[in-house]
Amino acid sequence: GFGASKGKGKAAATGDSAVKQVQIDGLVVLKIIKHYQEEGQGNEVVQGVLLGLVVDDRLEITNCFPFPQHTEDDADFDEVQYQMEMMRSLRHVNIDHLHVGWYQSTYYGSFVTRALLDSQFSYQHAIEESVVLIYDPIKTAQGSLSLKAYRLTPKLMEVCKEKDFSPEALKKANIAYENMFEEVPIVIKNSYLINVMLWELEKKSAVADRHELLSLASSNHLGKSLQLLMDRVDEMSQDIVKYNTYLRNVSKQQQQKHQYQQRRQQENIQRQSRGEPPLPEEDINKLFKPPQPPPRMESLLIAGQINTYCQNIKEFNAQNLGKLFMAQALQDYNN
């Protein structure tokens, strides 16, 4: 569904379906921000559909619309049908309607989850050029627009197609948390008329309002990021305990198998000395079923989320350091 064949037509014509750049209209950015401001509260996540087209290796996002908020009482709500009707309506009014991905808000960078991986795999499997835009309203509120585009790497796409997330399969595919997602550079484009309007608005804006962006009151954000980081580290520690338990069980079972084989060997020697036939051969793997290894994918996602939190904390510190220098320079200038 979602017009996948149409979305892949442009890329097929060029012979290269890789997306190396994402170009977003300024109106799309404003729609995403407005969607969160109207429906997102605290850690509430909002999502929506991205529409546009593919030109060579550039994905142009020209429109979007939100997923409607519905409760458990709306059991008969068909989300897929809603998206199809929206795209059909946009096509009737001659607006770009091809599905090219989706967007999602995030709470302090908490977006590296299994749900996002499964959703992006579904999009990217159906429409090869699909991306997911991650909008961080908390960073944006600090004065710097935080909007990033991600895709699943080809290695992870192959593993997801096979649906084999065992440690052996991930090791064979050489997948670590660093190469699960690939970030695509974003360029925001406005028409000339919008640029003229922005210049006019900048001239009318008060200088005092700009100084608010130099505020260093971000201890709450830093503290929350550190708390979330510690939570993920605790989850990683629990996964390590599970893996160590698995290794102990494997080692214990190997000892049991070795002891069992030694007993059978000794009994066969005794039976042979008495002139009796040896014991029948048995499938030892049926007697000692190997324990199942813990899933590796969850550990990789937790490691990826920890890496994201660390990057956010680093960016917060760098941003505050820059604000400190700017505030000091402004004070020196005023003096």
Side-chain angles (χ1 to χ4, degrees):
F2 310 140
S5 60
K6 295 181 181 179
K8 297 172 74 171
K10 291 274 186 180
T14 63
D16 186 7
S17 61
V19 174
K20 298 181 180 179
Q21 186 186 71
V22 175
Q23 178 179 297
I24 310 175
D25 284 6
L27 180 61
V28 175
V29 178
L30 293 178
K31 283 186 175 181
I32 294 174
I33 295 175
K34 181 182 178 183
H35 182 198
Y36 176 81
Q37 290 178 345
E38 291 180 348
E39 299 187 7
Q41 298 179 357
N43 59 354
E44 186 74 20
V45 173
V46 299
Q47 298 175 334
V49 175
L50 300 174
L51 306 174
L53 67 158
V54 180
V55 179
D56 296 331
D57 59 355
R58 184 177 70 251
L59 179 65
E60 297 185 2
I61 301 175
T62 58
N63 202 356
C64 68
F65 62 85
F67 289 146
Q69 294 281 1
H70 56 275
T71 61
E72 297 179 355
D73 298 333
D74 304 329
D76 56 345
F77 179 79
D78 191 340
E79 194 170 275
V80 176
Q81 183 64 28
Y82 170 80
Q83 296 181 46
M84 298 299 293
E85 291 178 358
M86 282 292 298
M87 288 186 288
R88 190 179 299 112
S89 300
L90 292 172
R91 181 179 59 198
H92 288 164
V93 294
N94 200 26
I95 296 178
D96 290 338
H97 61 279
L98 298 182
H99 209 156
V100 294
W102 60 298
Y103 69 85
Q104 172 182 303
S105 65
T106 182
Y107 180 68
Y108 287 96
S110 303
F111 65 89
V112 186
T113 61
R114 185 60 181 271
L116 182 134
L117 187 148
D118 293 339
S119 297
Q120 180 57 24
F121 170 73
S122 299
Y123 276 89
Q124 206 166 317
H125 181 65
I127 310 170
E128 190 175 359
E129 300 84 8
S130 296
V131 299
V132 53
L133 289 183
I134 302 298
Y135 167 65
D136 192 330
I138 297 175
K139 280 187 178 181
T140 303
Q142 295 296 310
S144 176
L145 175 64
S146 178
L147 194 66
K148 296 183 179 181
Y150 291 98
R151 288 168 49 83
L152 301 186
T153 59
K155 290 182 179 180
L156 186 57
M157 284 294 296
E158 292 299 324
V159 172
C160 291
K161 288 178 183 177
E162 298 296 332
K163 297 182 180 180
D164 184 4
F165 303 113
S166 63
E168 293 78 11
L170 295 176
K171 183 179 180 180
K172 182 179 179 181
N174 194 23
I175 291 180
Y177 71 88
E178 300 97 332
N179 55 11
M180 295 177 64
F181 297 92
E182 57 182 2
E183 184 177 353
V184 186
I186 290 179
V187 175
I188 299 178
K189 180 182 178 182
N190 291 317
S191 67
Y192 296 114
L193 292 176
I194 294 179
N195 286 330
V196 171
M197 183 187 70
L198 291 176
W199 277 107
E200 292 295 328
L201 291 177
E202 185 176 5
K203 292 178 182 179
K204 297 178 182 179
S205 61
V207 178
D209 295 337
R210 300 180 189 177
H211 293 172
E212 294 179 0
L213 300 179
L214 299 180
S215 174
L216 299 178
S218 60
S219 59
N220 292 336
H221 302 293
L222 183 59
K224 186 62 177 179
S225 297
L226 289 173
Q227 182 61 49
L228 292 171
L229 174 61
M230 290 188 292
D231 292 341
R232 297 293 85 76
V233 171
D234 289 341
E235 292 181 7
M236 177 62 74
S237 177
Q238 294 175 5
D239 277 2
I240 293 175
V241 171
K242 293 179 182 178
Y243 184 70
N244 290 334
T245 303
Y246 162 74
L247 292 180
R248 288 196 298 269
N249 291 337
V250 170
S251 177
K252 183 179 179 180
Q253 189 183 73
Q254 291 295 334
Q255 294 178 358
Q256 292 175 349
K257 287 171 65 175
H258 182 67
Q259 293 173 358
Y260 176 79
Q261 289 173 339
Q262 284 184 333
R263 288 197 303 268
R264 283 182 61 86
Q265 186 177 5
Q266 293 175 358
E267 188 171 352
N268 282 331
I269 293 175
Q270 294 177 359
R271 291 173 67 89
Q272 186 178 6
S273 63
R274 295 194 299 266
E276 299 176 356
L279 295 172
E281 293 291 336
E282 293 181 351
D283 188 355
I284 195 170
N285 291 326
K286 291 183 178 180
L287 295 176
F288 298 92
K289 293 184 179 180
Q292 292 294 326
R296 179 67 175 164
M297 181 57 70
E298 299 300 330
S299 300
L300 290 179
L301 290 171
I302 294 174
Q305 186 61 71
I306 290 175
N307 183 57
T308 301
Y309 287 144
C310 292
Q311 291 179 354
N312 288 346
I313 293 172
K314 182 179 179 181
E315 291 175 2
F316 268 127
N317 292 335
Q319 189 179 34
N320 283 339
L321 184 61
K323 288 180 179 180
L324 183 62
F325 284 132
M326 291 177 66
Q328 184 63 44
L330 184 61
Q331 183 179 2
D332 294 342
Y333 176 80
N334 292 332
N335 293 336

